[in-house]
Amino acid sequence: MRNYLFIYVLLTTLIFTGCDDELQVADPTTIGTDQFITDMATAQQAMDGVYDAMQSVYVQGAYPIMSLGLYADEFSHSGSYTLFDEMVLNNVPATNLAVTYFWSYRYVVIFRANSVINATEVLTDVDETAKNSIIAEAKRDTCFDVF
């Protein structure tokens, strides 16, 4: 019995005193904009990422049109999605996913565009006309119509 107690105390001590540092694992599939946008070609690729985010059905697709039409009584809903029934009844809680997606996907576009603007503004040794064009595109795309 004494041996079991000794082994238990020894293992417990080893477990709790083994490491002081936490393991920090960086995501190997992502890099920051300061590492990615290094010239005009990569700035254009990042701008393509902004346009890609705008293709979402929640940004420029059917969801915004359908949601606003239901809320304004322009459309009727006969389906089984309760999130649209809430809009028909003009009783939309904060937990409604249609509203959450409506705004969160727009903020993805805004975040990407702001990242392109910030990273492109600090580029040196590039064509100023092309640089200003990318920045202007990114600024324009953050001002898309909400409705």
Side-chain angles (χ1 to χ4, degrees):
M1 184 67 163
R2 189 172 220 198
N3 288 338
Y4 290 121
L5 180 63
F6 176 74
I7 292 172
Y8 175 75
V9 170
L10 179 65
L11 289 175
T12 306
T13 305
L14 286 174
I15 289 172
F16 288 114
T17 60
C19 295
D20 291 333
D21 298 333
E22 291 183 27
L23 180 62
Q24 301 291 331
V25 179
D27 185 3
T29 62
T30 61
I31 59 174
T33 55
D34 57 333
Q35 297 168 334
F36 178 71
I37 300 177
T38 57
D39 57 6
M40 291 313 299
T42 54
Q44 184 59 52
Q45 288 177 351
M47 196 61 222
D48 293 344
V50 175
Y51 291 130
D52 179 58
M54 291 179 71
Q55 293 183 74
S56 169
V57 68
Y58 302 108
V59 177
Q60 299 292 338
Y63 268 77
I65 297 166
M66 185 171 53
S67 299
L68 293 171
L70 289 170
Y71 195 72
D73 296 331
E74 294 174 348
F75 301 149
S76 63
H77 180 254
S78 60
S80 61
Y81 290 127
T82 57
L83 56 105
F84 296 129
D85 288 337
E86 293 168 345
M87 291 182 183
V88 171
L89 299 173
N90 290 329
N91 185 17
V92 182
T95 57
N96 187 296
L97 288 179
V99 175
T100 301
Y101 293 154
F102 184 87
W103 291 108
S104 64
Y105 281 84
R106 282 170 167 69
Y107 283 118
V108 168
V109 173
I110 292 169
F111 172 77
R112 287 184 184 185
N114 285 337
S115 298
V116 170
I117 292 167
N118 293 335
T120 306
E121 284 178 340
V122 297
L123 289 180
T124 56
D125 299 330
V126 294
D127 180 28
E128 286 297 317
T129 305
K131 177 179 169 179
N132 291 336
S133 175
I134 294 286
I135 293 171
E137 280 183 58
K139 286 182 179 181
R140 182 195 68 216
D141 292 338
T142 59
C143 300
F144 53 85
D145 290 334
V146 174
F147 302 107

